[in-house]
């Protein structure tokens, strides 16, 4: 067992996909997230679909609404191990 390396599941997701995943895990619609964050639903849709960049300020605002750290949205594929 000394040569054993723990398996790490790694998946590449974009910031928009990360936003969608977190939103859906919390069972929020885009409209509900828009109400919580103050960011228009159309902008949330555009971020999730990669048409608009997330940006740091939007990431902070959305992270507050989703009760997570902004880095989870900005750097979703970052491997911490």
């Amino acid at each position: 067992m000394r040569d054993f390396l723990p398996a790490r599941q790694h998946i590449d997701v974009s910031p928009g996909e990360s936003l969608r995943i977190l939103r859906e895990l919390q069972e929020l619609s885009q409209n509900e997230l828009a109400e919580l964050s103050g960011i228009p639903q159309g902008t949330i849709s555009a971020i999730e679909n990669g048409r608009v960049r997330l940006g740091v300020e939007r990431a902070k605002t959305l992270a507050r609404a989703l009760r997570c750290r902004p880095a989870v949205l900005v750097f979703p594929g970052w491997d911490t191990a």
Side-chain angles (χ1 to χ4, degrees), residues 3 16 25 37 60 64 76:
D3 295 332
L25 283 172
S37 67
K60 289 178 186 178
R64 234 177 273 116

Side-chain angles (χ1 to χ4, degrees), residues 46-66:
I47 293 168
E48 288 184 357
N49 290 296
R51 295 188 311 269
V52 170
R53 292 177 55 96
L54 177 59
V56 174
E57 292 307 314
R58 282 192 199 116
K60 289 178 186 178
T61 301
L62 289 165
R64 234 177 273 116
L66 292 167

Side-chain angles (χ1 to χ4, degrees), residues 8 78-81:
R8 286 186 280 161
W78 193 49
D79 189 4
T80 58

Side-chain angles (χ1 to χ4, degrees), residues 36-47:
L36 290 172
S37 67
I39 294 175
Q41 179 274 327
T43 302
I44 292 171
S45 175
I47 293 168

